PDB file of all heavy atoms in Angstrom:
ATOM      1  N   ILE A 350      11.618  -5.690   6.384  1.00 98.00           N
ATOM      2  CA  ILE A 350      10.938  -6.937   6.744  1.00 98.00           C
ATOM      3  C   ILE A 350       9.581  -6.920   6.054  1.00 98.00           C
ATOM      4  O   ILE A 350       8.788  -5.993   6.250  1.00 98.00           O
ATOM      5  CB  ILE A 350      10.739  -7.043   8.276  1.00 98.00           C
ATOM      6  CG1 ILE A 350      12.058  -6.810   9.014  1.00 98.00           C
ATOM      7  CG2 ILE A 350      10.102  -8.372   8.637  1.00 98.00           C
ATOM      8  CD1 ILE A 350      12.968  -7.962   9.116  1.00 98.00           C
ATOM      9  N   VAL A 351       9.327  -7.956   5.276  1.00 98.00           N
ATOM     10  CA  VAL A 351       8.203  -7.934   4.329  1.00 98.00           C
ATOM     11  C   VAL A 351       7.247  -9.091   4.632  1.00 98.00           C
ATOM     12  O   VAL A 351       7.703 -10.202   4.914  1.00 98.00           O
ATOM     13  CB  VAL A 351       8.781  -8.074   2.894  1.00 98.00           C
ATOM     14  CG1 VAL A 351       7.678  -8.104   1.859  1.00 98.00           C
ATOM     15  CG2 VAL A 351       9.764  -6.946   2.595  1.00 98.00           C
ATOM     16  N   TRP A 353       3.796 -11.710   3.567  1.00 98.00           N
ATOM     17  CA  TRP A 353       3.646 -12.664   2.453  1.00 98.00           C
ATOM     18  C   TRP A 353       2.552 -12.281   1.467  1.00 98.00           C
ATOM     19  O   TRP A 353       2.355 -12.960   0.476  1.00 98.00           O
ATOM     20  CB  TRP A 353       3.360 -14.075   2.990  1.00 98.00           C
ATOM     21  CG  TRP A 353       2.359 -14.115   4.109  1.00 98.00           C
ATOM     22  CD1 TRP A 353       2.649 -14.224   5.442  1.00 98.00           C
ATOM     23  CD2 TRP A 353       0.939 -14.022   4.027  1.00 98.00           C
ATOM     24  NE1 TRP A 353       1.497 -14.195   6.182  1.00 98.00           N
ATOM     25  CE2 TRP A 353       0.429 -14.081   5.331  1.00 98.00           C
ATOM     26  CE3 TRP A 353       0.032 -13.898   2.962  1.00 98.00           C
ATOM     27  CZ2 TRP A 353      -0.939 -14.014   5.615  1.00 98.00           C
ATOM     28  CZ3 TRP A 353      -1.330 -13.829   3.241  1.00 98.00           C
ATOM     29  CH2 TRP A 353      -1.798 -13.886   4.549  1.00 98.00           C
ATOM     30  N   ASN A 354       1.795 -11.229   1.730  1.00 98.00           N
ATOM     31  CA  ASN A 354       0.623 -11.012   0.870  1.00 98.00           C
ATOM     32  C   ASN A 354       0.950 -10.318  -0.450  1.00 98.00           C
ATOM     33  O   ASN A 354       0.189 -10.441  -1.402  1.00 98.00           O
ATOM     34  CB  ASN A 354      -0.470 -10.248   1.633  1.00 98.00           C
ATOM     35  CG  ASN A 354      -0.006  -8.889   2.079  1.00 98.00           C
ATOM     36  OD1 ASN A 354       1.170  -8.679   2.320  1.00 98.00           O
ATOM     37  ND2 ASN A 354      -0.925  -7.957   2.186  1.00 98.00           N
ATOM     38  N   GLN A 359       5.890  -5.009  -2.014  1.00 98.00           N
ATOM     39  CA  GLN A 359       6.161  -4.409  -0.709  1.00 98.00           C
ATOM     40  C   GLN A 359       7.651  -4.314  -0.431  1.00 98.00           C
ATOM     41  O   GLN A 359       8.103  -3.430   0.297  1.00 98.00           O
ATOM     42  CB  GLN A 359       5.408  -5.154   0.375  1.00 98.00           C
ATOM     43  CG  GLN A 359       4.001  -4.583   0.413  1.00 98.00           C
ATOM     44  CD  GLN A 359       3.042  -5.355   1.232  1.00 98.00           C
ATOM     45  OE1 GLN A 359       3.428  -6.221   1.996  1.00 98.00           O
ATOM     46  NE2 GLN A 359       1.776  -5.063   1.067  1.00 98.00           N
ATOM     47  N   ARG A 362       8.465  -1.087  -2.231  1.00 98.00           N
ATOM     48  CA  ARG A 362       7.939   0.113  -1.574  1.00 98.00           C
ATOM     49  C   ARG A 362       8.954   0.705  -0.601  1.00 98.00           C
ATOM     50  O   ARG A 362       9.035   1.923  -0.451  1.00 98.00           O
ATOM     51  CB  ARG A 362       6.652  -0.265  -0.837  1.00 98.00           C
ATOM     52  CG  ARG A 362       5.856   0.886  -0.336  1.00 98.00           C
ATOM     53  CD  ARG A 362       4.520   0.430   0.200  1.00 98.00           C
ATOM     54  NE  ARG A 362       4.651  -0.199   1.503  1.00 98.00           N
ATOM     55  CZ  ARG A 362       3.647  -0.778   2.161  1.00 98.00           C
ATOM     56  NH1 ARG A 362       2.441  -0.833   1.618  1.00 98.00           N
ATOM     57  NH2 ARG A 362       3.818  -1.314   3.340  1.00 98.00           N
ATOM     58  N   LYS A 377      14.269  -9.084   4.280  1.00 98.00           N
ATOM     59  CA  LYS A 377      13.884 -10.412   4.789  1.00 98.00           C
ATOM     60  C   LYS A 377      12.435 -10.640   4.349  1.00 98.00           C
ATOM     61  O   LYS A 377      11.500 -10.128   4.945  1.00 98.00           O
ATOM     62  CB  LYS A 377      13.994 -10.441   6.313  1.00 98.00           C
ATOM     63  CG  LYS A 377      14.331 -11.803   6.905  1.00 98.00           C
ATOM     64  CD  LYS A 377      13.328 -12.890   6.636  1.00 98.00           C
ATOM     65  CE  LYS A 377      12.148 -12.860   7.584  1.00 98.00           C
ATOM     66  NZ  LYS A 377      11.092 -13.825   7.205  1.00 98.00           N
ATOM     67  N   ALA A 379       8.895 -12.802   3.749  1.00 98.00           N
ATOM     68  CA  ALA A 379       8.189 -13.758   4.607  1.00 98.00           C
ATOM     69  C   ALA A 379       8.570 -15.180   4.202  1.00 98.00           C
ATOM     70  O   ALA A 379       8.822 -15.452   3.023  1.00 98.00           O
ATOM     71  CB  ALA A 379       6.689 -13.554   4.488  1.00 98.00           C
ATOM     72  N   GLU A 380       8.598 -16.073   5.180  1.00 97.00           N
ATOM     73  CA  GLU A 380       9.041 -17.447   4.921  1.00 97.00           C
ATOM     74  C   GLU A 380       8.188 -18.162   3.880  1.00 97.00           C
ATOM     75  O   GLU A 380       8.660 -19.058   3.193  1.00 97.00           O
ATOM     76  CB  GLU A 380       9.088 -18.254   6.228  1.00 97.00           C
ATOM     77  CG  GLU A 380       7.994 -17.986   7.240  1.00 97.00           C
ATOM     78  CD  GLU A 380       8.309 -16.807   8.169  1.00 97.00           C
ATOM     79  OE1 GLU A 380       8.628 -15.710   7.656  1.00 97.00           O
ATOM     80  OE2 GLU A 380       8.235 -16.966   9.390  1.00 97.00           O
ATOM     81  N   GLY A 410      10.952 -15.648  10.601  1.00 98.00           N
ATOM     82  CA  GLY A 410      10.904 -14.355  11.279  1.00 98.00           C
ATOM     83  C   GLY A 410      11.664 -14.369  12.590  1.00 98.00           C
ATOM     84  O   GLY A 410      12.444 -13.453  12.888  1.00 98.00           O
ATOM     85  N   GLY A 414      14.683 -12.811  10.673  1.00 98.00           N
ATOM     86  CA  GLY A 414      14.034 -11.500  10.865  1.00 98.00           C
ATOM     87  C   GLY A 414      14.519 -10.844  12.145  1.00 98.00           C
ATOM     88  O   GLY A 414      14.922  -9.677  12.156  1.00 98.00           O
ATOM     89  N   PHE A 428       9.345  -1.994   8.582  1.00 98.00           N
ATOM     90  CA  PHE A 428       8.648  -3.249   8.861  1.00 98.00           C
ATOM     91  C   PHE A 428       7.220  -3.175   8.341  1.00 98.00           C
ATOM     92  O   PHE A 428       6.490  -2.213   8.618  1.00 98.00           O
ATOM     93  CB  PHE A 428       8.620  -3.527  10.375  1.00 98.00           C
ATOM     94  CG  PHE A 428       7.745  -4.712  10.714  1.00 98.00           C
ATOM     95  CD1 PHE A 428       8.226  -6.005  10.532  1.00 98.00           C
ATOM     96  CD2 PHE A 428       6.433  -4.547  11.143  1.00 98.00           C
ATOM     97  CE1 PHE A 428       7.410  -7.105  10.794  1.00 98.00           C
ATOM     98  CE2 PHE A 428       5.622  -5.636  11.408  1.00 98.00           C
ATOM     99  CZ  PHE A 428       6.113  -6.923  11.239  1.00 98.00           C
ATOM    100  N   THR A 429       6.811  -4.204   7.614  1.00 98.00           N
ATOM    101  CA  THR A 429       5.409  -4.352   7.210  1.00 98.00           C
ATOM    102  C   THR A 429       4.943  -5.707   7.696  1.00 98.00           C
ATOM    103  O   THR A 429       5.567  -6.725   7.387  1.00 98.00           O
ATOM    104  CB  THR A 429       5.260  -4.278   5.672  1.00 98.00           C
ATOM    105  OG1 THR A 429       5.891  -3.087   5.217  1.00 98.00           O
ATOM    106  CG2 THR A 429       3.803  -4.246   5.268  1.00 98.00           C
ATOM    107  N   GLY A 430       3.856  -5.718   8.452  1.00 98.00           N
ATOM    108  CA  GLY A 430       3.365  -6.994   8.973  1.00 98.00           C
ATOM    109  C   GLY A 430       2.346  -6.760  10.070  1.00 98.00           C
ATOM    110  O   GLY A 430       1.674  -5.733  10.104  1.00 98.00           O
ATOM    111  N   SER A 431       2.270  -7.728  10.981  1.00 97.00           N
ATOM    112  CA  SER A 431       1.214  -7.696  11.991  1.00 97.00           C
ATOM    113  C   SER A 431       1.602  -6.799  13.178  1.00 97.00           C
ATOM    114  O   SER A 431       2.784  -6.499  13.383  1.00 97.00           O
ATOM    115  CB  SER A 431       0.945  -9.112  12.484  1.00 97.00           C
ATOM    116  OG  SER A 431       2.106  -9.604  13.102  1.00 97.00           O
ATOM    117  N   THR A 434       4.160  -8.471  15.799  1.00 98.00           N
ATOM    118  CA  THR A 434       5.550  -8.521  15.317  1.00 98.00           C
ATOM    119  C   THR A 434       6.109  -7.108  15.227  1.00 98.00           C
ATOM    120  O   THR A 434       7.282  -6.876  15.559  1.00 98.00           O
ATOM    121  CB  THR A 434       5.632  -9.230  13.947  1.00 98.00           C
ATOM    122  OG1 THR A 434       4.901 -10.445  14.006  1.00 98.00           O
ATOM    123  CG2 THR A 434       7.068  -9.549  13.576  1.00 98.00           C
ATOM    124  N   GLU A 452       4.326  -0.429   9.121  1.00 98.00           N
ATOM    125  CA  GLU A 452       3.116  -0.521   8.296  1.00 98.00           C
ATOM    126  C   GLU A 452       2.385  -1.770   8.756  1.00 98.00           C
ATOM    127  O   GLU A 452       2.780  -2.884   8.423  1.00 98.00           O
ATOM    128  CB  GLU A 452       3.488  -0.640   6.809  1.00 98.00           C
ATOM    129  CG  GLU A 452       4.160   0.585   6.231  1.00 98.00           C
ATOM    130  CD  GLU A 452       3.192   1.721   5.919  1.00 98.00           C
ATOM    131  OE1 GLU A 452       1.990   1.595   6.238  1.00 98.00           O
ATOM    132  OE2 GLU A 452       3.636   2.737   5.368  1.00 98.00           O
ATOM    133  N   LEU A 453       1.335  -1.580   9.547  1.00 98.00           N
ATOM    134  CA  LEU A 453       0.721  -2.731  10.222  1.00 98.00           C
ATOM    135  C   LEU A 453      -0.666  -3.033   9.631  1.00 98.00           C
ATOM    136  O   LEU A 453      -0.935  -2.705   8.488  1.00 98.00           O
ATOM    137  CB  LEU A 453       0.675  -2.474  11.721  1.00 98.00           C
ATOM    138  CG  LEU A 453       2.026  -2.069  12.329  1.00 98.00           C
ATOM    139  CD1 LEU A 453       1.900  -1.772  13.809  1.00 98.00           C
ATOM    140  CD2 LEU A 453       3.087  -3.135  12.087  1.00 98.00           C
ATOM    141  N   GLY A 454      -1.493  -3.626  10.416  1.00 96.00           N
ATOM    142  CA  GLY A 454      -2.771  -4.115   9.888  1.00 96.00           C
ATOM    143  C   GLY A 454      -3.848  -3.051   9.834  1.00 96.00           C
ATOM    144  O   GLY A 454      -3.598  -1.866  10.055  1.00 96.00           O
ATOM    145  N   CYS A 486      -3.698  -5.417   3.579  1.00 98.00           N
ATOM    146  CA  CYS A 486      -3.723  -4.615   4.808  1.00 98.00           C
ATOM    147  C   CYS A 486      -4.841  -3.585   4.764  1.00 98.00           C
ATOM    148  O   CYS A 486      -5.470  -3.292   5.767  1.00 98.00           O
ATOM    149  CB  CYS A 486      -2.390  -3.937   5.015  1.00 98.00           C
ATOM    150  SG  CYS A 486      -1.839  -3.004   3.580  1.00 98.00           S
ATOM    151  N   GLU A 586      -8.709  -7.807  12.769  1.00 98.00           N
ATOM    152  CA  GLU A 586      -8.342  -8.018  11.370  1.00 98.00           C
ATOM    153  C   GLU A 586      -8.423  -9.511  11.038  1.00 98.00           C
ATOM    154  O   GLU A 586      -7.769 -10.324  11.681  1.00 98.00           O
ATOM    155  CB  GLU A 586      -6.917  -7.512  11.117  1.00 98.00           C
ATOM    156  CG  GLU A 586      -6.513  -7.604   9.664  1.00 98.00           C
ATOM    157  CD  GLU A 586      -5.071  -7.171   9.435  1.00 98.00           C
ATOM    158  OE1 GLU A 586      -4.188  -7.668  10.140  1.00 98.00           O
ATOM    159  OE2 GLU A 586      -4.853  -6.339   8.541  1.00 98.00           O
ATOM    160  N   PHE A 588      -8.154 -10.671   7.637  1.00 98.00           N
ATOM    161  CA  PHE A 588      -7.211 -10.863   6.529  1.00 98.00           C
ATOM    162  C   PHE A 588      -7.680 -11.991   5.615  1.00 98.00           C
ATOM    163  O   PHE A 588      -6.936 -12.897   5.268  1.00 98.00           O
ATOM    164  CB  PHE A 588      -5.818 -11.166   7.089  1.00 98.00           C
ATOM    165  CG  PHE A 588      -4.705 -10.452   6.360  1.00 98.00           C
ATOM    166  CD1 PHE A 588      -4.720  -9.084   6.200  1.00 98.00           C
ATOM    167  CD2 PHE A 588      -3.627 -11.158   5.828  1.00 98.00           C
ATOM    168  CE1 PHE A 588      -3.690  -8.425   5.532  1.00 98.00           C
ATOM    169  CE2 PHE A 588      -2.595 -10.512   5.164  1.00 98.00           C
ATOM    170  CZ  PHE A 588      -2.633  -9.142   5.011  1.00 98.00           C
TER     171      PHE A 588
HETATM  172  P1  NAD B 250       3.921 -11.102  10.443  1.00 74.66           P
HETATM  173  O1  NAD B 250       4.055  -9.974  11.366  1.00 74.66           O
HETATM  174  O2  NAD B 250       3.673 -12.448  10.984  1.00 74.66           O
HETATM  175  O3  NAD B 250       5.235 -11.249   9.543  1.00 74.66           O
HETATM  176  C1  NAD B 250       5.743 -10.179   8.783  1.00 74.66           C
HETATM  177  C2  NAD B 250       7.216 -10.381   8.564  1.00 74.66           C
HETATM  178  O4  NAD B 250       7.877 -10.286   9.820  1.00 74.66           O
HETATM  179  C3  NAD B 250       7.603 -11.734   7.985  1.00 74.66           C
HETATM  180  O5  NAD B 250       8.668 -11.566   7.073  1.00 74.66           O
HETATM  181  C4  NAD B 250       8.102 -12.483   9.207  1.00 74.66           C
HETATM  182  O6  NAD B 250       9.009 -13.508   8.887  1.00 74.66           O
HETATM  183  C5  NAD B 250       8.760 -11.379   9.969  1.00 74.66           C
HETATM  184  N1  NAD B 250       8.939 -11.622  11.404  1.00 74.66           N
HETATM  185  C6  NAD B 250       8.227 -12.434  12.216  1.00 74.66           C
HETATM  186  N2  NAD B 250       8.710 -12.370  13.482  1.00 74.66           N
HETATM  187  C7  NAD B 250       9.728 -11.493  13.459  1.00 74.66           C
HETATM  188  C8  NAD B 250      10.606 -10.980  14.469  1.00 74.66           C
HETATM  189  N3  NAD B 250      10.534 -11.368  15.748  1.00 74.66           N
HETATM  190  N4  NAD B 250      11.521 -10.063  14.108  1.00 74.66           N
HETATM  191  C9  NAD B 250      11.605  -9.631  12.836  1.00 74.66           C
HETATM  192  N5  NAD B 250      10.821 -10.098  11.841  1.00 74.66           N
HETATM  193  C10 NAD B 250       9.878 -11.003  12.151  1.00 74.66           C
HETATM  194  O7  NAD B 250       2.792 -10.659   9.430  1.00 74.66           O
HETATM  195  P2  NAD B 250       2.178 -11.514   8.254  1.00 74.66           P
HETATM  196  O8  NAD B 250       1.211 -12.472   8.830  1.00 74.66           O
HETATM  197  O9  NAD B 250       3.271 -12.030   7.385  1.00 74.66           O
HETATM  198  O10 NAD B 250       1.414 -10.381   7.427  1.00 74.66           O
HETATM  199  C11 NAD B 250       0.118 -10.028   7.653  1.00 74.66           C
HETATM  200  C12 NAD B 250       0.041  -8.730   8.401  1.00 74.66           C
HETATM  201  O11 NAD B 250       0.746  -7.712   7.675  1.00 74.66           O
HETATM  202  C13 NAD B 250      -1.368  -8.215   8.505  1.00 74.66           C
HETATM  203  O12 NAD B 250      -1.609  -7.721   9.798  1.00 74.66           O
HETATM  204  C14 NAD B 250      -1.425  -7.100   7.481  1.00 74.66           C
HETATM  205  O13 NAD B 250      -2.395  -6.155   7.705  1.00 74.66           O
HETATM  206  C15 NAD B 250      -0.056  -6.543   7.560  1.00 74.66           C
HETATM  207  N6  NAD B 250       0.271  -5.803   6.332  1.00 74.66           N
HETATM  208  C16 NAD B 250       0.360  -4.430   6.408  1.00 74.66           C
HETATM  209  C17 NAD B 250       0.615  -3.700   5.265  1.00 74.66           C
HETATM  210  C18 NAD B 250       0.713  -2.203   5.315  1.00 74.66           C
HETATM  211  O14 NAD B 250       1.215  -1.617   4.371  1.00 74.66           O
HETATM  212  N7  NAD B 250       0.243  -1.539   6.348  1.00 74.66           N
HETATM  213  C19 NAD B 250       0.787  -4.358   4.060  1.00 74.66           C
HETATM  214  C20 NAD B 250       0.677  -5.748   4.026  1.00 74.66           C
HETATM  215  C21 NAD B 250       0.423  -6.465   5.188  1.00 74.66           C
END
Side-chain angles (χ1 to χ4, degrees):
I350 308 278
V351 178
W353 43 259
N354 61 331
Q359 276 169 13
R362 191 172 76 185
K377 210 299 278 173
E380 38 274 53
F428 172 79
T429 307
S431 63
T434 312
E452 294 282 5
L453 308 178
C486 52
E586 184 183 51
F588 222 54

